[in-house]
């Protein structure tokens, strides 16, 4: 794919566009925009065959206006200093947009996980953690990593274990990383959080009558034709939640190919087919597309790029036929392509908002780790007993016995997963309304991306000003 400008330049261009709608001083805007620190490292990996390989890795801390900084760790051959700096900046803006009190960070290791055994990936992860620790780039109060492209709960568990082994006396060490397995202090709902947040964001956008009318679509998710690029953590869950809400998933793609079925693909069955055959192609009843990138050009209501950055560029934007684009991945639409889509009245839900569900639930996990108690543990039974008393009083007053399927769900107290999902839903709805309001204040002259950046810039600026750094 064509890359129009460096990723950091793309992010900064979007920032500058929004900054023009604020009245902060040039110095303050520069401080918000620049990346505070980047740590580049190389370390040796002993491969299973005894050979030695030099591994390149980075960690960027974009802004410490709030601490700790927070951001995922990516394992990909495309990782570079430019990429981690851009992604760290997006994390700063994302956290501000959803009111998560963190600065932005990002890490990357230049490896393709397909080329390494499980034991080698473990050695890479543990050594990377050690290198971060040596330079104070990991700590519950300084810098807290999480999963991103190419990493998941297993890597987070290795990070925690390595951190624990080198800082054994720290009471809060379990909060040094999020996205951990439940047994290692993870929180229920974190794995699917980003995809669920993508769903909540799209659902909120699709509930706006004015916007749907402008796009020539009905209100609601039900019946919308959806295409998803990338069936990894974010893409799979986003597609699954959209389908459960009534969307028709007509196209899906993975790195090896893409499939199409106008009647709708069963997301879970496609996922199962890929697990069994190691490929998304040749899914029974579906049509194979010529190239994996062709999925972006399918006619649909909502296109959800959920793989990597720079997917919709000036090279293919003229062929994109979606009415709405939900940026589940970070930076999937270049700033040039964004302009071209806006001119065609395509609605774009920006990454800085739409994929913030992951960091929101990571924040909940961090809070759980610091409080050393599972959400719901103190109040679930109490809530259940209170609800039961109220329902029994209603039965007594009305003289009618409620059936079990009415009584049971109402009486039930909220457990950890209920609370996490509810907190996520609240966050995504509030943030969307805030962005949408800013967009309206500018007479719809700006898009949601610029509106989201304005929200982020104003919040980070307020933090700096209140810290007294810029009197
Ligand atoms: P993942 O590794 O779980 O999944 C990514 C998937 O994309 C993989 O299955 C990969 O094979 C596929 N892919 C790669 N190139 C492709 C191509 N050209 N076409 C189609 N599929 C392709 O990663 P993830 O965690 O789902 O992250 C995906 C994106 O979402 C990234 O941009 C990441 O930064 C962003 N994101 C992730 C999280 C999170 O919580 N995991 C949070 C916020 C944003």
């Amino acid at each position: 794919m064509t890359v129009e400008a460096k990723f950091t330049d793309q992010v900064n261009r979007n920032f500058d566009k929004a900054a023009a709608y604020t009245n902060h001083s040039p110095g303050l805007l520069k401080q918000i925009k620049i990346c505070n620190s980047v740590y580049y490292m190389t370390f040796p990996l002993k491969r299973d065959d005894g050979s030695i390989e030099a591994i390149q890795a980075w960690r960027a801390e974009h802004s410490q206006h709030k601490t700790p900084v927070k951001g995922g760790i990516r394992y990909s051959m495309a990782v570079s200093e430019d990429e981690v700096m851009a992604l760290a900046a997006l994390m700063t803006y994302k956290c501000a947009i959803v009111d998560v009190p963190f600065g932005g960070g990002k890490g990357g290791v230049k490896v393709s996980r397909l080329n390494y055994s499980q034991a080698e990936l473990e050695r890479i992860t543990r050594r990377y953690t050690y290198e971060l620790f040596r330079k104070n780039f990991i700590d519950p109060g300084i810098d807290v990593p999480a999963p991103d492209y190419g990493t998941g709960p297993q890597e987070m568990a290795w990070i925690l274990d390595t951190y624990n082994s080198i800082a054994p006396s720290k009471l809060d060490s379990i909060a040094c990383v999020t996205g951990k397995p439940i047994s290692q202090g993870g929180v229920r709902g974190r794995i699917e959080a980003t995809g669920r947040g993508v769903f909540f964001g799209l659902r909120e956008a699709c509930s706006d009558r004015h916007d749907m009318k402008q796009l020539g679509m009905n209100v609601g998710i039900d019946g919308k034709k959806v295409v998803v690029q990338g069936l990894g953590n974010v893409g799979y869950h986003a597609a699954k939640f959209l389908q459960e809400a009534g969307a028709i998933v007509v196209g899906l793609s993975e790195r090896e190919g893409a499939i199409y079925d106008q009647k709708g693909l069963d997301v879970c069955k496609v996922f199962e087919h890929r697990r069994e055959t190691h490929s998304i192609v040749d899914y029974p009843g579906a049509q194979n597309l010529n190239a994996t990138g062709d999925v972006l050009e399918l006619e649909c209501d909502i296109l959800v790029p959920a793989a990597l950055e720079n997917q919709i560029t000036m090279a293919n934007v003229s062929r994109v036929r979606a009415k709405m684009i939900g940026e589940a991945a970070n930076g999937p639409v270049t700033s040039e392509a964004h302009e071209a889509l806006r001119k065609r009245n395509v609605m774009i839900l920006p990454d800085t908002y739409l994929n913030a569900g992951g960091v929101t639930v990571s924040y909940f996990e961090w809070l759980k780790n610091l409080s050393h108690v599972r959400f719901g543990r103190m109040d679930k039974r109490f809530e259940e007993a209170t609800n039961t008393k109220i329902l029994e009083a209603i039965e007594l007053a009305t003289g009618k016995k409620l059936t079990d399927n009415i009584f049971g769900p109402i009486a039930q107290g909220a457990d950890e997963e209920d609370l996490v999902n509810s907190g996520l839903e609240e966050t995504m709805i509030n943030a969307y309304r805030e962005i949408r309001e800013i967009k309206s204040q500018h007479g719809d002259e700006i898009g949601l991306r610029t509106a989201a950046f304005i929200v982020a810039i104003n919040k980070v600026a307020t933090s700096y000003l209140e810290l007294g750094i810029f009197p």
Side-chain angles (χ1 to χ4, degrees):
M1 296 256 173
T2 319
V3 177
E4 276 94 33
K6 281 196 331 187
F7 197 4
T8 39
D9 292 342
Q10 305 256 359
V11 174
N12 289 341
R13 211 174 279 174
N14 291 328
F15 179 99
D16 291 341
K17 220 185 282 174
Y21 291 93
T22 70
N23 50 16
H24 304 298
S25 70
L28 176 52
L29 288 170
K30 186 171 178 190
Q31 175 55 45
I32 296 171
K33 188 162 71 166
I34 53 173
C35 185
N36 287 356
S37 35
V38 190
Y39 171 27
Y40 168 66
M41 68 203 93
T42 58
F43 53 81
L45 165 72
K46 190 170 186 182
R47 305 252 1 212
D48 292 344
D49 65 5
S51 63
I52 303 292
E53 195 177 306
I55 302 289
Q56 289 180 288
W58 290 262
R59 181 78 186 167
E61 294 182 349
H62 174 261
S63 174
Q64 277 98 353
H65 71 287
K66 288 197 191 288
T67 49
V69 300
K70 189 93 190 68
I73 295 174
R74 179 174 279 208
Y75 283 6
S76 152
M77 284 311 287
V79 164
S80 66
E81 185 160 308
D82 173 59
E83 188 184 67
V84 286
M85 283 169 70
L87 292 166
L90 287 176
M91 284 304 294
T92 295
Y93 310 134
K94 196 176 296 184
C95 290
I97 288 164
V98 290
D99 288 327
V100 163
F102 294 144
K106 202 78 181 190
V109 183
K110 194 168 178 171
V111 291
S112 166
R113 58 177 306 128
L114 303 174
N115 298 338
Y116 298 91
S117 68
Q118 193 72 347
E120 288 170 337
L121 286 170
E122 178 171 350
R123 289 202 286 281
I124 291 169
T125 309
R126 288 184 182 278
R127 181 61 187 253
Y128 178 63
T129 311
Y130 176 70
E131 296 296 331
L132 292 178
F133 183 82
R134 278 194 334 145
K135 301 279 181 189
N136 239 1
F137 270 72
I138 181 169
D139 180 89
I142 297 174
D143 188 338
V144 181
D148 190 66
Y149 185 94
T151 59
Q154 177 61 80
E155 284 73 22
M156 302 308 116
W158 289 329
I159 290 172
L160 173 65
D161 188 53
T162 308
Y163 184 89
N164 269 337
S165 65
I166 44 187
S169 60
K170 288 201 176 190
L171 181 64
D172 291 330
S173 61
I174 199 164
C176 75
V177 64
T178 60
K180 303 177 290 286
I182 308 292
S183 62
Q184 303 301 319
V187 74
R188 286 161 187 82
R190 172 62 183 92
I191 290 178
E192 55 275 50
T194 310
R196 195 187 289 276
V198 168
F199 163 67
F200 286 143
L202 286 167
R203 189 189 65 184
E204 196 56 24
C206 288
S207 70
D208 188 309
R209 271 176 208 290
H210 170 267
D211 289 346
M212 289 305 103
K213 197 172 168 202
Q214 276 204 331
L215 294 172
M217 298 200 291
N218 292 331
V219 170
I221 291 290
D222 194 27
K224 293 259 182 319
K225 285 190 178 168
V226 172
V227 168
V228 180
Q229 180 197 37
L231 213 51
N233 178 312
V234 179
Y236 167 71
H237 287 108
K240 182 170 165 285
F241 293 127
L242 285 163
Q243 184 167 56
E244 283 169 6
I248 304 160
V249 180
V250 293
L252 288 171
S253 76
E254 253 298 332
R255 59 174 93 220
E256 66 279 358
I259 53 173
Y260 170 75
D261 187 343
Q262 63 164 347
K263 296 193 299 299
L265 297 154
D266 184 317
V267 177
C268 295
K269 285 189 181 155
V270 171
F271 187 83
E272 205 43 44
H273 165 81
R274 182 167 189 255
R275 210 174 54 82
E276 277 166 15
T277 66
H278 306 291
S279 174
I280 199 170
V281 299
D282 294 335
Y283 177 70
Q287 177 193 334
N288 293 333
L289 300 181
N290 289 335
T292 179
D294 289 356
V295 82
L296 302 169
E297 300 169 17
L298 287 172
E299 193 172 346
C300 62
D301 296 315
I302 308 174
L303 171 62
V304 182
L308 280 171
E309 59 267 22
N310 289 324
Q311 296 303 301
I312 301 174
T313 68
M314 291 311 281
N316 61 356
V317 70
S318 62
R319 297 190 298 277
V320 170
R321 288 182 287 166
K323 293 177 186 154
M324 266 175 99
I325 296 179
E327 292 188 330
N330 283 308
V333 180
T334 65
S335 52
E336 292 85 350
H338 178 269
E339 281 314 302
L341 290 164
R342 283 260 306 140
K343 281 187 190 134
R344 283 164 38 200
N345 197 27
V346 177
M347 183 180 189
I348 299 170
L349 269 79
D351 48 4
T352 43
Y353 160 68
L354 196 66
N355 67 32
V359 73
T360 302
V361 175
S362 273
Y363 169 48
F364 299 157
E365 179 176 334
W366 184 76
L367 291 175
K368 171 187 179 177
N369 294 157
L370 293 181
S371 64
H372 298 267
V373 65
R374 167 171 54 78
F375 294 119
R377 179 168 175 180
M378 307 293 281
D379 37 16
K380 183 178 189 302
R381 297 286 155 188
F382 183 79
E383 204 184 310
E384 240 164 61
T386 309
N387 293 347
T388 301
K389 277 185 207 149
I390 295 169
L391 289 167
E392 283 170 355
I394 291 171
E395 285 182 333
L396 202 65
T398 60
K400 284 190 187 148
K401 189 108 186 95
L402 295 167
T403 55
D404 284 353
N405 57 350
I406 293 181
F407 199 107
I410 300 176
Q412 204 180 20
D415 62 18
E416 180 169 270
E417 197 164 355
D418 299 325
L419 292 167
V420 163
N421 292 342
S422 157
L424 173 61
E425 186 171 9
E426 164 79 358
T427 303
M428 294 307 292
I429 291 174
N430 284 349
Y432 186 79
R433 292 185 181 167
E434 198 172 2
I435 296 166
R436 184 67 189 78
E437 174 58 26
I438 294 286
K439 183 175 179 286
S440 314
Q441 282 172 17
H442 291 276
D444 290 341
E445 166 197 338
I446 58 170
L448 289 167
R449 189 189 312 282
T450 300
F453 264 90
I454 293 173
V455 169
I457 291 170
N458 285 337
K459 287 185 186 174
V460 180
T462 303
S463 269
Y464 273 122
L465 292 167
E466 286 175 357
L467 284 171
I469 295 171
F470 293 89

